[in-house]
Amino acid sequence: MPSTTSITRPSRSSRQSKTTCIPGKLECAAQAKILAQKRRIPLATKYNVNTNGAAAPATTRISLPRTLPRPVLGEVDLASLAHAYPNLTGVPAEYIRDLLPSSTSSMRAALQAVKTSGVCSSSLPKELEIIMNDTVAAACPTHMLAVYNDASLGFGQKRHVSLFPMHDLVLRVHCARLPTLPLSQPSTSSPSATIPVVPFCLSSPETFPLLHAYLYTQQPATLRTSLAYPCESASDLLQLATHASKIHGLWRNACTLGVVDPQLYDVIEASWEHTLSAMQACS
């Protein structure tokens, strides 16, 4: 499970540098902008506003894009993959992705068993020490992702950061737009191991656990269940709008990282369509 911490508000210059921690432009950005301006579905709902002690109806409008454009699916950086894993030199990334789910059960168990020490709540360290046990040693994570967004902070506010242990092989074979990952081969023969902390700037940190889990399991049915309607009746428009925000956040993260799995986008697109249809039905 991810742990959380907070870091103090960085200076203006450091904020500018962090926004470029994930290189590359999204091919879907221009399409998304056009959709946002020209192809949006207006949805109306009512809510109560208490002004003089009595409930009065008011109307707010929710505007959402009709579709979530699928990014151009390139391939991952094979040179970077081979540099980190020389034994995989010349092996197609698609072949590795196909075989990976059969060997990730021990990886997922290790993630659940990870415990850290020496976490400072006021600043983000460059490395973290994880406690070694039999489960972790069987498939030790290579990196700790420090996931955050670059939203503006008020004076004195602290930025919220969520920590996710991760195996870089999973990231390298699935994501075509990774930030630079330092090489890491933690020793499993000691009582603890030190792994690098990698700042991960994403627009929707709160939905990263969904993507994190999918990259390990590659089970579209499980993700589809996670993106099902939040209520059986699907009659609460505001609740559905919140659910749509969850799907949209997952899509933004997948585009940012350049996830190359087409099944992921199949699930996102179907879930988005079903949610918008439910919103239209009850608006």
Side-chain angles (χ1 to χ4, degrees):
M1 296 297 290
S3 59
T4 61
T5 185
S6 297
I7 57 176
T8 54
R9 183 187 181 190
S11 64
R12 181 180 299 273
S13 61
S14 64
R15 289 202 307 271
Q16 290 175 343
S17 64
K18 284 185 177 180
T19 59
T20 59
C21 63
I22 297 178
K25 295 182 179 180
L26 303 182
E27 287 83 351
C28 64
Q31 302 175 49
K33 183 176 181 181
I34 294 173
L35 288 170
Q37 295 175 345
K38 297 183 177 181
R39 300 184 60 199
R40 304 181 77 87
I41 302 176
L43 299 164
T45 185
K46 293 184 178 181
Y47 62 93
N48 292 329
V49 178
N50 194 332
T51 54
N52 297 314
T59 301
T60 184
R61 300 188 72 82
I62 303 171
S63 184
L64 298 172
R66 292 182 182 274
T67 60
L68 298 180
R70 184 174 301 207
V72 177
L73 301 181
E75 190 48 274
V76 301
D77 186 351
L78 295 178
S80 175
L81 177 63
H83 180 60
Y85 295 92
N87 59 314
L88 296 178
T89 300
V91 180
E94 185 176 2
Y95 178 76
I96 302 173
R97 285 193 293 270
D98 289 342
L99 293 181
L100 199 57
S102 63
S103 60
T104 55
S105 58
S106 59
M107 291 182 179
R108 288 184 279 121
L111 297 181
Q112 295 294 324
V114 163
K115 294 182 180 180
T116 60
S117 63
V119 178
C120 178
S121 61
S122 62
S123 61
L124 191 64
K126 293 183 178 180
E127 296 179 331
L128 274 179
E129 189 177 80
I130 59 175
I131 309 302
M132 197 61 58
N133 56 45
D134 290 343
T135 303
V136 175
C140 186
T142 59
H143 297 74
M144 185 70 72
L145 306 185
V147 180
Y148 70 99
N149 64 27
D150 60 351
S152 299
L153 295 177
F155 180 77
Q157 288 184 319
K158 294 183 178 181
R159 190 170 301 281
H160 182 79
V161 177
S162 296
L163 300 178
F164 293 85
M166 194 82 185
H167 298 85
D168 68 337
L169 177 61
V170 175
L171 288 172
R172 292 181 189 276
V173 300
H174 283 105
C175 304
R177 298 191 186 98
L178 279 178
T180 301
L181 295 178
L183 296 181
S184 174
Q185 295 180 336
S187 172
T188 59
S189 59
S190 302
S192 63
T194 300
I195 60 176
V197 176
V198 181
F200 240 50
C201 181
L202 294 175
S203 57
S204 180
E206 63 276 10
T207 63
F208 182 69
L210 284 173
L211 184 58
H212 182 272
Y214 179 80
L215 294 181
Y216 276 88
T217 62
Q218 295 178 249
Q219 294 180 356
T222 301
L223 180 61
R224 191 177 298 111
T225 299
S226 299
L227 297 180
Y229 296 146
C231 52
E232 292 184 2
S233 62
S235 59
D236 187 334
L237 183 56
L238 292 180
Q239 188 176 5
L240 284 169
T242 300
H243 186 66
S245 177
K246 174 182 176 180
I247 300 171
H248 193 264
L250 174 63
W251 169 75
R252 295 200 312 271
N253 288 344
C255 289
T256 298
L257 292 176
V259 178
V260 299
D261 187 341
Q263 293 186 98
L264 170 66
Y265 299 100
D266 290 341
V267 174
I268 290 175
E269 291 167 2
S271 300
W272 183 256
E273 182 179 351
H274 294 160
T275 301
L276 260 60
S277 295
M279 294 176 72
Q280 287 181 297
C282 66
S283 63

